[in-house]
Amino acid sequence: MHDLSYLQKWEDIWLLRFNPSKCKVMHVDYNNNPMNTYVFNDVELGTIDNEKDLGVLTCANLHWGANIKASIAKANRMLAWVTRNLVLREKRVMLNIYKTLIRPHLEYCTQLWAPVATHGNWSAIIGLEKVQRRFTSLIDGLGDLPYSQRLVTLDLTTLAERRLRGDLIETFKIVNSFVEYGSDLFNTGRSGTNLISRPSKCRDANVRKLVNSFISQRVIKYWNKLPIEVKNSESVDHFKINLSYYKKNCTMSDIDNYWEISDLVISKIETKSYLCSRNKHIEYLKCNPDVAKRRGINLKPL
């Protein structure tokens, strides 16, 4: 209420008026929120369940399912546009279109809403991945390959791995003060390079699950796994290069390397039953090329 009183005083000083009908209240549904009503200029403000700000759809329960669905929908609309209007499906052309017009919709502000690979989030993770799966099947000669082989052929990674890589890059920027925000997000251990978790004092399991989904928590085990020479990179570009070099040359079989999320995602997609039915489906499409064309699947020429 104090903030609303301050805004009313600001109106009187600057002789500029707010429109109360355009002002809304969104109650965050945690910590026994009393759901108070708010009055501004003698007008009771309406309540909303979600609000889109700076391109991100935020809901009252602070879950990001609606925002993820909106991102998938935008990417699918752009994919459909490409399918209708692009005749040339050559690898280089298609990759440039994907990286420029489609993938950005799936990766906008992911440091805020990226789903953690836990029970309850797999439908969102697989849903995001499905857009990339669908697009890569449109490329000439790749439609009959499994998703994992298409990624290798195109030198791509799963979107889940890219989100974790993005988390690591953002963490590097914050920890090394390359940006002016987020200085209070992370706690550094005695070594000065490893991150430590902040134990939650809240007894509400939903709140603890929410806290563990924040970048300040979900990135810790992957960051601490990085070697010291990667963490101490001189610049952001140098960090990216060292990160790629570490992935390429790592021979350790320990868990918690960030790229291992790709293996987990692929195992969820390419199950034995899926691969068996897919092989039969590909054989059917090869015998019926008109059906494959209508579905936008480009097979290797016979």
Side-chain angles (χ1 to χ4, degrees), residues 7 11 27 53 63 78 99 102 105 124 132 159 180-181 185 189 195 237-239 244 252 257 268 291:
L7 288 177
E11 281 186 324
H27 296 289
D53 185 37
H63 293 170
M78 183 56 67
K99 294 177 181 179
I102 297 176
H105 291 299
Q132 183 165 271
L159 295 175
E180 298 179 356
Y181 56 82
L185 279 178
L195 302 178
D237 288 338
H238 194 201
F239 176 78
S244 299
M252 295 183 296
N257 288 309
K268 294 283 186 179
V291 177

Side-chain angles (χ1 to χ4, degrees), residues 215-226:
I215 184 174
S216 57
Q217 296 296 315
R218 69 173 184 257
V219 79
I220 290 178
K221 65 178 181 179
Y222 302 107
W223 174 266
N224 291 343
K225 190 69 177 179
L226 298 179

